[in-house]
Amino acid sequence: MTTSEVPNTARQRSRLGAQLLPDKHRTRFRVWSTRAKDVQVRVGGQDHPLQALPDHMFEAVLPVGAGTRYLFMLDGLALPDPYARFLPDGVHGEAEVVDLDAYAWQYPNWTGPELGDCVFYELHVGTFTPQGTLRAAQDRLPYLRDLGITAVQVMPVAAFPGGRGWGYDGVAMYAPYAPYGRPEDLMAFVDAAHGLGLAVFLDVVYNHFGPDGNYLSAYSPSYFTDRFHTAWGQGLDYAEAHMRRYITGNARMWLQDYRFDGLRLDATASMQDDSPEHILSELAREVHALGGHHLMLAEDHRNLPDLVTDSGLDGIWVDDFHHEVRVTLTGEHEGYYGGYRGGAAELAQLLNRGWLYEGQFWNVTGEEHDRGRPADGLEAPSFVYCIQNHDQIGNRALGDRLQDHEGVTVAEVRGASTLLLSLPMTPLLFQGQEWMAGTPFPFFSDHHGELGHMVSEGRRKEFAYFSGFSTLDVPDPQQEATFVSAKLNWAEREEGDHARTLALYRTLLRLRREDPVLAWRSRRGLSAGTFGVSGAEAQGLWVRWQTPQGERVLAWNLTPQPVPAHLLALPFNLPAGVLLHSEGDPARPTPLSDLTLQPGEAALFA
């Protein structure tokens, strides 16, 4: 059954707000409020009463169609609709009745990829192009296809306050953020991607609401609870049926009405729920019941395999891989980096086990506890690895990228990239990473007045363990210039080291797709260890693939000295052919006898 064939009744279970009826000339307005005695809807300056129904429900059908603007009136107080499908004037303004069935899909039979076929490319609509719109981002999709990307992951688009932001302070979860474009623009973006063979995933935030523009509690305080608390205030009460349906209905909307291929769930460790069935399990169950290859990914630092094996999610963002690579290259040990030693030996342990922490004590100040469980039951695609993402760049004081660190060389970045894209785990790239973009990605938002000051100061306190927040001139998140600085400079990708890095990524992604061994998406047959040369300390990393299709070996020189490839001290015989050298010419691989790996360089052997 395709998305368009899902029975309409199933799609309407949680449709509070305004719902255009099948005749397209009438709209049903429905409100649930435990606070209000009298509920009306204001359309064109005129108020229309909603009939009180059992269980605090109010409803009316009016002869208005798509494009109608409205507000709800609760006991005389005008309020935006928290279930609005579009808020053209922002989260504090009128909602617009939207016909979600009006868009003419050009590729209705798209079914989506398996997770093992995904190479994720995380992008932020507002900074991906100079225009910062969905239409402009759509024009760049052929570039991503030609690069070798198979799945675009869009940072949150649910409506949030102001004219710019990361999107993690969303407050109207059903309404696409108006500055990016209208609902049909978002549909066209997804449709165009499918036409190019690209899946599209959406980052969603179901663990908190932003501090400005969340009107749910004005309708009923029951949406939230004091049983749980988050860094942003009261916890969401998933035991409340309407909050639960708000979340599950939102997931269904993105996947059915907008035809996203999957969702990335932000900070699932903060989705606290004491219901008989955890909200994550219900989300996974409902999403997979839609058919096709709808996928659910968790951002979760806890290293809990049961998120996949028991809760039914499909994959987990693995912090350990990013942190271990970063500490190896930078030597940083501030904050959560204090839980990692870095180096080839610990990297090898991580690759052999899937993640590093599987029950060991996490000795990071303020978070001391046993962390993780063994991941023996998970296959390679369920591990989402990256060497950069929006958080790990944006949570730095200056929003600087990996190559900007004074202790990291260009060769090391390209060596790390070779490791990332050779592994059978699911890789994720952050926008511009493939050409080693020179633009930062600092945190930015558009909260005015005292709230803006509080947000800026809050981030300084949240990341106080990173010395840069107290010693550097941190860009003010509220200044428009901070946002503008994050916009990609597309022209630079054709220049110097940017162009060389882009060529490497294109080659690696082609090999990942076409090489019969590197296309093997299994941890079985994957092993890793360390090497030295002529009795030197073992500081290099080797990774070996032994599959039914053959053998491949990666060597990454993490020593401070050049290493002739034929002198690598490995516990097995090195294949004689050079498949790729991270600093070489992809069209003319260097013979093994002539290849020397300089510090930071990597090579694949076949």
Side-chain angles (χ1 to χ4, degrees):
M1 181 179 291
T2 65
T3 298
S4 59
E5 296 169 336
V6 175
N8 217 26
T9 53
R11 300 171 62 188
Q12 318 234 3
R13 284 183 293 170
S14 60
R15 288 214 166 171
L16 294 175
Q19 183 180 356
L20 189 67
L21 296 181
D23 62 17
K24 308 297 184 182
H25 300 298
R26 297 178 302 150
T27 297
R28 178 169 58 220
F29 295 92
R30 181 186 290 158
V31 168
W32 178 71
S33 176
T34 60
R35 286 185 181 273
K37 303 298 182 184
D38 176 70
V39 178
Q40 300 180 327
V41 60
R42 176 169 290 175
V43 177
Q46 183 177 354
D47 295 342
H48 304 269
L50 273 62
Q51 180 184 358
L53 301 174
D55 299 323
H56 307 286
M57 202 71 71
F58 300 82
E59 183 177 304
V61 175
L62 298 181
V64 298
T68 300
R69 302 284 189 94
Y70 69 95
L71 288 167
F72 286 124
M73 307 293 294
L74 272 61
D75 294 332
L77 177 64
L79 293 172
D81 177 10
Y83 289 83
R85 266 47 179 188
F86 190 50
L87 292 160
D89 298 324
V91 299
H92 300 294
E94 291 181 318
E96 178 182 320
V97 177
V98 174
D99 184 357
L100 292 175
D101 297 318
Y103 179 80
W105 291 88
Q106 302 301 301
Y107 303 95
N109 297 320
W110 169 266
T111 56
E114 301 281 355
L115 184 55
D117 295 326
C118 289
V119 175
F120 285 107
Y121 189 94
E122 186 185 24
L123 67 83
H124 175 267
V125 175
T127 58
F128 185 57
T129 66
Q131 300 89 340
T133 65
L134 287 159
R135 289 291 182 181
Q138 181 178 326
D139 291 340
R140 294 289 184 179
L141 291 175
Y143 159 80
L144 296 180
R145 185 236 3 233
D146 295 343
L147 174 64
I149 298 301
T150 61
V152 180
Q153 182 175 300
V154 182
M155 288 174 62
V157 300
F160 54 89
R164 56 191 175 271
W166 279 16
Y168 295 93
D169 51 357
V171 290
M173 302 304 188
Y174 286 78
Y177 182 58
Y180 293 162
R182 293 186 53 82
E184 53 266 32
D185 294 326
L186 183 55
M187 294 177 182
F189 177 86
V190 175
D191 199 18
H194 290 169
L196 294 168
L198 295 168
V200 190
F201 286 67
L202 181 64
D203 198 338
V204 292
V205 183
Y206 293 152
N207 58 81
H208 75 281
F209 287 78
D212 179 23
N214 174 23
Y215 288 95
L216 279 175
S217 60
Y219 286 75
S220 176
S222 301
Y223 282 107
F224 301 93
T225 178
D226 289 327
R227 299 196 311 279
F228 309 118
H229 286 274
T230 73
W232 304 271
Q234 281 185 306
L236 281 62
D237 192 357
Y238 299 118
E240 163 55 57
H242 289 87
M243 175 56 85
R244 202 169 186 90
R245 286 199 293 269
Y246 188 94
I247 298 302
T248 57
N250 184 254
R252 289 196 305 272
M253 181 196 74
W254 295 124
L255 298 172
Q256 292 180 291
D257 295 323
Y258 289 90
R259 305 198 181 189
F260 281 94
D261 297 281
L263 303 175
R264 180 263 193 189
L265 304 174
D266 178 69
T268 50
S270 297
M271 293 177 66
Q272 303 173 81
D273 185 13
D274 53 8
S275 305
E277 181 183 28
H278 195 282
I279 185 65
L280 287 173
S281 296
E282 182 171 345
L283 276 168
R285 177 170 51 80
E286 292 211 7
V287 164
H288 292 144
L290 298 177
H293 293 302
H294 292 112
L295 300 171
M296 302 282 281
L297 305 173
E299 183 212 13
D300 202 300
H301 66 281
R302 296 174 295 176
N303 289 8
L304 298 180
D306 49 300
L307 289 169
V308 175
T309 58
D310 296 345
S311 297
L313 303 180
D314 298 285
I316 304 170
W317 276 31
V318 178
D319 281 353
D320 281 2
F321 180 81
H322 171 273
H323 298 347
E324 196 64 69
V325 169
R326 176 137 197 137
V327 171
T328 296
L329 297 184
T330 67
E332 293 173 300
H333 291 288
E334 293 183 318
Y336 45 72
Y337 294 137
Y340 303 87
R341 295 192 304 272
E346 200 161 86
L347 265 173
Q349 178 186 348
L350 183 153
L351 295 175
N352 287 324
R353 301 300 298 163
W355 50 46
L356 184 65
Y357 280 88
E358 45 187 356
Q360 304 97 306
F361 187 65
W362 174 249
N363 190 23
V364 174
T365 302
E367 302 180 20
E368 298 88 346
H369 61 277
D370 293 337
R371 175 174 169 236
R373 296 175 194 153
D376 298 334
L378 301 187
E379 257 297 7
S382 291
F383 300 84
V384 180
Y385 282 2
C386 73
I387 59 173
Q388 298 187 74
N389 63 39
H390 76 274
D391 265 334
Q392 302 307 330
I393 300 172
N395 287 346
R396 301 185 64 77
L398 302 180
D400 49 305
R401 295 175 181 253
L402 179 59
Q403 72 272 5
D404 297 322
H405 190 279
E406 62 181 2
V408 177
T409 67
V410 169
E412 287 173 330
V413 173
R414 290 199 275 252
S417 301
T418 303
L419 173 65
L420 172 69
L421 295 179
S422 301
L423 294 168
M425 290 71 169
T426 302
L428 176 138
L429 283 59
F430 181 68
Q431 61 180 36
Q433 172 183 327
E434 72 276 15
W435 76 72
M436 218 162 51
T439 48
F441 191 75
F443 178 72
F444 49 83
S445 59
D446 188 24
H447 297 296
H448 297 292
E450 181 59 24
L451 179 57
H453 176 72
M454 290 172 61
V455 169
S456 299
E457 289 304 308
R459 281 191 64 81
R460 287 181 180 273
K461 292 179 181 178
E462 181 180 2
F463 297 104
Y465 48 73
F466 286 131
S467 59
F469 278 86
S470 59
T471 61
L472 299 175
D473 185 14
V474 180
D476 184 351
Q478 309 308 320
Q479 293 295 319
E480 185 176 9
T482 303
F483 163 65
V484 172
S485 74
K487 287 181 178 286
L488 288 178
N489 175 9
W490 285 83
E492 69 180 2
R493 75 189 195 281
E494 306 296 340
E495 305 167 351
D497 273 326
H498 299 298
R500 288 187 61 189
T501 304
L502 181 57
L504 174 66
Y505 269 77
R506 285 179 172 143
T507 301
L508 284 166
L509 289 169
R510 178 182 58 78
L511 288 173
R512 180 181 183 85
R513 182 175 63 251
E514 298 177 0
D515 183 87
V517 176
L518 298 182
W520 179 254
R521 301 286 179 259
S522 176
R523 295 170 65 197
R524 298 189 301 274
L526 177 73
S527 56
T530 62
F531 66 79
V533 177
S534 301
E537 182 182 356
Q539 292 180 332
L541 173 73
W542 62 259
V543 182
R544 189 185 193 191
W545 295 261
Q546 294 173 289
T547 76
Q549 288 73 31
E551 178 186 20
R552 300 288 183 268
V553 174
L554 176 142
W556 186 15
N557 183 12
L558 296 172
T559 77
Q561 302 298 326
V563 177
H566 67 280
L567 295 181
L568 290 173
L570 302 176
F572 50 84
N573 292 326
L574 185 69
V578 179
L579 189 63
L580 176 140
H581 175 210
S582 61
E583 295 297 314
D585 183 349
R588 294 192 297 272
T590 304
L592 178 63
S593 58
D594 296 336
L595 177 62
T596 294
L597 294 179
Q598 300 296 326
E601 296 181 0
L604 284 164
F605 302 93

